[in-house]
Amino acid sequence: MRKFKEWLIERTVIVCGLIVACTVCLVFLFLALESRYAFNAEFPFGYRIVVESLGADAGESVAFSPYASFVGAHPDGGEGLDEMELDVFAPTLEELSGVATAATCTLPESNLQANSARRDDWRRPSEIGSGHSIRLYVFATPEHTGKEMRVRWEPDAGFLPNDCPYDLRLRLARVPTGIELEPFEVDLKKQPSGSIRIPTWIAHLDSERVDGYVLEVQALRPKGTSQVSAVLGQLNSTHWSPTGAYARFGILPLLFGTATMTLIALGVAVPIGVLCAVFVSEFASRRLRHWLKSTVELLSSVPTVVLAYLGLMMLAPWLMSIVGSALRMESGRNLLTCGLVLGVLILPTIVTVAEDALGTVPRSLKEGGFALGLERSEVIRKVLLPAAKVGIVGAVLLGFSRAVGETMILWILSGGTATWPRLDNVSSAASSLVGPARGIPDTIAIEMANVDFEGVQYGYLFLIGVLLFALTMLLNVVGYSLIRRKAWRS
């Protein structure tokens, strides 16, 4: 009967282990499968281009010119735009008279006649393939008197060229008859804004507006760049803005927020937790030890939303009143407040696990230290802590894992803004530590409720969820493996 019970317990443990392992694998597989929608991402881009006389103000933004043309692949391109935006016709020479002496226009691919010239060329991102180009026609009016005119360009509002996986080029595709000009090509990622002088070419009739210079904006996918690498490359960005016209999915500000708040939490919880563990293990009486361990375990059962509200209603106003003006804190909801509350959250984990690690150190080691004439504090520093260091490191890793995966405290206290720190000087860096932020867990929680089901943003949220799950699993596995080791035997 005893052998049967042992056999049953052994098989039960094996089955439970298999169930846990299968559950972890299924969760990881589910997250990975749902993240596939991120790889349907398209990469819009847009530039504003204007041609003007040399006497015009070159410091004025191109976007302020009513005769600047938009060219690019935009999420609202094609049928997504209303008629007011899509069918803006190019200005005629009569409309330009007395107002401007030069202009640009585009032609829809379905109609290459001058009478169908438009001001802008909005394309769908799906229409932009490798080597695709958008043509822009440049001309001057008969009122133009200078021998040269200037072409200026700049990115559309909200578009960051370096976040686009394409190589973007502006090239001179055609020179009018009778004009001598060497062809040029501009790398729009290295030179996102700029200007070039070209000899004046005058259109005397509206039908001649498309007979002058032809500029091409090309989108070239770099050789060897696949859709997968382009999507993953989006993660290596300092901007997280998934709902804009030019959606950006840079995970770096989310990693910064998560890592910084977690390090602040560890900076608070590790020294306090280890000291508490030493006190409970070595100094507290048996009765006091029982009450302290019960209190710590009770603290670990407090709902995180309660800790978050305590931080919001008590800690945040206190920090604002004490150090708010000195640190230029704009709000109590910031990295510092969130990190301090996370420190309270992980404190019970570190105290409990570190105290267990200290309790596994053989009594003979401590007695040997006393026999050598060491003081009690020296025994703790030179014998006890080194012998239990592996378990203490495991406790820190488990606390780290707990803080990395926390959602509710970050949601309520972090400020909810994905920001990348400014490291220009010490003052800017300090301001970043007390500024609003956002981590990976709260980003998933905040945005998943309003995301398009099976859309690109939906896929990216699951993709960063995969990274978060893998990180926390790794930290937990390493932490538990260290806890099970006996440092004094190694």
Side-chain angles (χ1 to χ4, degrees), residues 120-386:
D120 307 317
D121 194 334
W122 301 75
R123 304 291 179 92
R124 297 187 184 94
S126 58
E127 296 176 355
I128 302 298
S130 180
H132 188 92
S133 63
I134 302 175
R135 290 196 154 198
L136 187 69
Y137 299 86
V138 177
F139 63 93
T141 71
E143 296 179 1
H144 195 286
T145 57
K147 295 182 179 180
E148 291 183 319
M149 50 188 183
R150 178 171 53 221
V151 177
R152 290 199 297 133
W153 66 89
E154 65 181 31
D156 189 29
F159 173 59
L160 299 177
N162 288 331
D163 286 347
C164 182
Y166 295 122
D167 285 337
L168 301 172
R169 310 280 181 175
L170 174 66
R171 61 181 293 267
L172 180 62
R174 189 184 73 190
V175 178
T177 303
I179 299 291
E180 294 185 2
L181 179 64
E182 290 293 327
F184 58 82
E185 182 173 285
V186 179
D187 187 334
L188 292 176
K189 298 184 78 170
K190 293 182 179 179
Q191 191 178 354
S193 301
S195 65
I196 289 180
R197 293 186 180 186
I198 58 176
T200 300
W201 182 86
I202 296 176
H204 296 278
L205 301 172
D206 287 336
S207 59
E208 296 178 352
R209 290 177 297 172
V210 297
D211 296 333
Y213 293 98
V214 176
L215 299 177
E216 284 186 345
V217 176
Q218 293 182 322
L220 304 173
R221 188 184 290 273
K223 187 176 181 180
T225 301
S226 64
Q227 180 70 6
V228 173
S229 62
V231 169
L232 296 179
Q234 284 264 301
L235 295 175
N236 187 28
S237 169
T238 58
H239 299 89
W240 177 272
S241 177
T243 58
Y246 303 97
R248 298 189 291 275
F249 299 95
I251 197 176
L252 295 183
L254 307 183
L255 285 176
F256 165 75
T258 298
T260 305
M261 288 182 280
T262 302
L263 290 176
I264 293 174
L266 291 178
V268 172
V270 170
I272 297 176
V274 172
L275 289 175
C276 288
V278 171
F279 177 79
V280 171
S281 177
E282 299 300 317
F283 294 95
S285 63
R286 187 172 183 179
R287 182 180 180 85
L288 181 58
R289 183 183 299 115
H290 171 74
W291 282 104
L292 287 176
K293 293 187 71 173
S294 299
T295 302
V296 169
E297 291 172 0
L298 181 63
L299 180 61
S300 65
S301 65
V302 176
T304 56
V305 66
V306 174
L307 287 177
Y309 275 119
L310 288 175
L312 181 65
M313 303 305 296
M314 298 176 63
L315 181 60
W318 181 79
L319 286 176
M320 285 292 293
S321 63
I322 299 299
V323 297
S325 59
L327 297 180
R328 299 180 182 178
M329 293 171 57
E330 298 180 359
S331 169
R333 300 174 61 204
N334 53 48
L335 277 170
L336 181 60
T337 306
C338 192
L340 293 176
V341 176
L342 280 178
V344 176
L345 173 70
I346 66 175
L347 186 60
T349 300
I350 294 178
V351 172
T352 301
V353 178
E355 195 274 332
D356 290 340
L358 293 170
T360 62
V361 177
R363 187 176 183 83
S364 59
L365 287 180
K366 293 184 285 186
E367 291 176 348
F370 287 121
L372 291 174
L374 298 178
E375 298 289 338
R376 192 168 191 178
S377 60
E378 293 177 316
V379 170
I380 292 173
R381 288 186 292 107
K382 298 181 179 181
V383 178
L384 185 61
L385 290 178

Side-chain angles (χ1 to χ4, degrees), residues 254 258 403-408 410-411 438-447 464 468:
L254 307 183
T258 298
V404 165
E406 173 54 30
T407 301
M408 188 57 66
L410 270 68
W411 193 343
R438 187 191 283 186
I440 297 177
D442 57 318
T443 296
I444 297 173
I446 292 170
E447 298 186 5
I464 64 175
L468 180 64

Side-chain angles (χ1 to χ4, degrees), residues 4-14:
F4 174 75
K5 288 182 178 180
E6 292 178 353
W7 178 88
L8 182 61
I9 292 173
E10 182 181 349
R11 294 300 183 275
T12 302
V13 171
I14 293 174

Side-chain angles (χ1 to χ4, degrees), residues 8-30:
L8 182 61
I9 292 173
E10 182 181 349
R11 294 300 183 275
T12 302
V13 171
I14 293 174
V15 171
C16 291
L18 290 174
I19 291 174
V20 171
C22 290
T23 302
V24 170
C25 292
L26 287 174
V27 170
F28 188 84
L29 180 62
F30 169 73

